[in-house]
Amino acid sequence: MKFTDIPSLGMPPGPLTVWRTSAAPGAVWTRDARPASHVQEAHLTYALATAGEGPPAPSWLGIAFDLPAGLDPDAFAAALCAWTDRHENLRSRLLPPAASGPPLRETLPAGATAVRGTEVGDFADGAELARRIEELFDREAGPVGWPGFVCATVARADATTVHLAADHSLMDGYSVLLIPYEIHALYAAALAAGKGAVSPLPPVASYLDFAAAERATVDALTSEHEVVVQWCRFLAETGGRLPEFPVPVNDVSGDPGAQPGGYLELLGPAAARAFDRVCRAGGGDAFSGVLACLARVGHEMTDEQAFSTMAPFHTRTEPYGSSLGWYVGMAPISFPLHASDFFEDVLHSAVSGLEGVKELARVPVSRVTELLGATLRDPFMISYMDLRLTPGAREWHGRRTVTLRGRSTDPDEVCFWFMRTHEGLSVSYRHPATAAADIAVRHYVEHVRRLLEAVADTGRWPSDSLQEAQPPAPVV
């Protein structure tokens, strides 16, 4: 499982069909009193504020996976309609406010959408096909306008590959990973509908209810709340800035290019299980163990006596486990380390650094900035997801499932997505389009892999890690 840009898929050519969702004839949008979540409002506000500054920056998340060959178009359209019926968030739209104020929400009832497939053409060149799908996603899976998601299928002799993307305001990274399981189940049910089949999926809670409840809670907070106080302490220690990648990699040209990225398999299934055991025996878990390895590499690159980063944490509670939405909050992580520390020492420090951060993440950063009167950017992010219990996870490999993302031209941001699946532990990453970033980030992940392998094998750092930590200088 990896995050990737569409052109890196090595996409085989084939006939392309685009599937668009619309309001069914006679459907009526109803004013909905439930507000946008803080992250939705901040996302939409930014999109509207920058609308006149050129093409909007892509903000979609997507996924590609296989269905059986010989797609039944009526059954697939029915599956997509059932999917939008299942998730109220997909049937709701946010309208820009008429004056200063929050966005307005309107929602369609279940059963009020229609799906139509349009054949675009038979592409003989895989790169051209990938470009067309990426352009489709950039154009139609955005934060302004409804539905904000779009689907495309490519017919092949052995399978039908589904590509589906939605704006981030509609779903987070975990939501995207629920899509293959649900579409497979709903498509199978639609195929069997003539035999009296019904949807095999149970009802799911609505993100709109979550957003309303979260909004009522966090809007009542004041600057004296403990979460805001902890943010103040963290920012006081960092000079009012959020953490940056250990070495300078930012693009100072004023005209940054599209961020490149990469993917690396870090540990196979057996080694990942061994790493889990070492971390548990040391009083931590796999995430704190990964952070310990990242901190060690950062220390060896810079001799800094502390490791700091931003990390996303899910904010889902039990009713919303299978709901599509943006259930993610960001929180800072920071902990000390020293050159003489053993792995277990840094693991304990990482565990301490993680204490309480999930509670910080339950307050959206946009609300924190309101209360602090500050502007914050998070240029260095570490995400860790254990995805083994995700519905359909064991079928991802056989269904050639790949997560997708829109391109970024951010001049500063360095992001890592560590993913634990049944196939082991892997990392996807992206970074500014600079020579320094290309060298430093690739070296960073390669050295992290060496540390992970050594810890999984021996429970210790490799004896030569210090000597190999410094990245080579970029060629000017």
Side-chain angles (χ1 to χ4, degrees):
M1 180 59 58
K2 60 182 177 179
F3 283 98
T4 183
D5 299 317
I6 285 181
S8 67
L9 285 175
M11 185 177 293
L16 173 66
T17 301
V18 175
W19 304 82
R20 293 182 174 91
T21 298
S22 62
V28 177
W29 289 93
T30 302
R31 181 60 57 86
D32 194 325
R34 290 170 292 183
S37 67
H38 268 281
V39 288
Q40 282 184 320
E41 181 174 344
H43 186 65
L44 178 61
T45 299
Y46 176 79
L48 294 172
T50 58
E53 300 176 5
S59 55
W60 54 263
L61 302 175
I63 196 154
F65 58 93
D66 283 350
L67 286 175
L71 187 75
D72 183 308
D74 293 334
F76 187 67
L80 291 177
C81 282
W83 184 61
T84 59
D85 283 349
R86 174 174 166 77
H87 298 287
E88 190 180 30
N89 193 34
L90 302 177
R91 294 181 278 108
S92 189
R93 65 186 183 186
L94 293 171
L95 306 176
S100 60
L104 303 176
R105 183 183 293 282
E106 292 181 340
T107 304
L108 287 172
T113 60
V115 172
R116 180 182 179 184
T118 303
E119 294 182 7
V120 176
D122 191 346
F123 289 80
D125 180 75
E128 174 63 14
L129 175 60
R131 185 184 67 80
R132 287 293 294 271
I133 294 176
E134 183 176 35
E135 289 176 349
L136 171 73
F137 289 174
D138 288 351
R139 185 173 62 250
E140 300 190 24
V144 180
W146 184 84
F149 63 90
V150 66
C151 179
T153 56
V154 180
R156 301 195 175 91
D158 62 336
T160 299
T161 302
V162 178
H163 302 81
L164 196 153
D167 185 67
H168 203 342
S169 61
L170 296 176
M171 60 184 71
D172 53 28
Y174 183 76
S175 297
V176 166
L177 292 164
L178 296 171
I179 294 174
Y181 173 79
E182 295 193 352
I183 297 298
H184 266 270
L186 295 170
Y187 178 62
L191 285 174
K195 303 174 184 178
V198 297
S199 171
L201 302 176
V204 66
S206 171
Y207 178 70
L208 276 61
D209 292 332
F210 172 88
E214 180 197 64
R215 190 101 199 190
T217 298
V218 301
D219 280 358
L221 300 182
T222 68
S223 57
E224 285 76 39
H225 190 273
E226 179 58 26
V227 167
V228 184
V229 172
Q230 290 185 50
W231 268 99
C232 285
R233 291 179 189 142
F234 178 82
L235 293 171
E237 294 171 358
T238 60
R241 296 170 59 87
L242 295 182
E244 299 179 353
F245 188 69
V247 296
V249 295
N250 57 311
D251 188 329
V252 296
S253 67
D255 185 24
Q259 285 199 336
Y263 169 79
L264 190 65
E265 295 181 358
L266 300 168
L267 298 173
R273 290 192 294 270
F275 183 74
D276 292 344
R277 290 193 294 270
V278 170
C279 294
R280 287 196 301 270
D285 57 16
F287 183 29
S288 53
V290 168
L291 287 174
C293 293
L294 293 166
R296 172 76 174 189
V297 175
H299 171 76
E300 292 172 349
M301 291 171 69
T302 66
D303 203 33
E304 289 288 337
Q305 304 298 303
F307 176 78
S308 298
T309 188
M310 293 291 292
F313 293 89
H314 80 79
T315 57
R316 295 171 185 264
T317 53
E318 181 57 34
Y320 302 99
S322 297
S323 173
L324 298 191
W326 197 347
Y327 296 96
V328 174
M330 300 293 293
I333 299 172
S334 185
F335 56 89
L337 73 158
H338 306 283
S340 59
D341 288 345
F342 295 103
F343 170 73
E344 210 168 274
D345 299 324
V346 187
L347 178 69
H348 291 164
S349 191
V351 169
S352 297
L354 285 169
E355 290 179 359
V357 295
K358 288 186 179 179
E359 292 307 311
L360 292 183
R362 293 197 178 279
V363 179
V365 173
S366 58
R367 179 59 176 151
V368 172
T369 59
E370 285 179 8
L371 293 169
L372 295 180
T375 301
L376 298 175
R377 277 178 49 81
D378 51 342
F380 180 36
M381 185 208 76
I382 303 294
S383 171
Y384 178 89
M385 291 192 291
D386 188 335
L387 302 170
R388 288 173 291 174
L389 297 180
T390 306
R394 290 194 179 276
E395 284 74 49
W396 285 342
H397 181 72
R399 292 171 177 170
R400 296 188 288 198
T401 306
V402 180
T403 48
L404 310 170
R405 63 178 181 227
R407 293 180 185 271
S408 171
T409 57
D410 193 285
D412 307 308
E413 193 174 61
V414 180
C415 298
F416 296 91
W417 293 273
F418 289 86
M419 285 156 284
R420 179 74 163 91
T421 68
H422 294 290
E423 282 71 52
L425 178 67
S426 64
V427 63
S428 297
Y429 57 90
R430 69 181 183 192
H431 55 74
T434 65
D438 183 59
I439 293 172
V441 173
R442 281 192 295 109
H443 180 86
Y444 188 75
V445 295
E446 286 283 359
H447 195 52
V448 167
R449 178 169 64 174
R450 292 188 63 252
L451 297 190
L452 290 165
E453 290 173 341
V455 170
D457 187 40
T458 68
R460 303 183 182 89
W461 302 129
S463 59
D464 62 346
S465 65
L466 183 62
Q467 287 78 10
E468 295 200 8
Q470 293 297 329
V475 176
V476 179

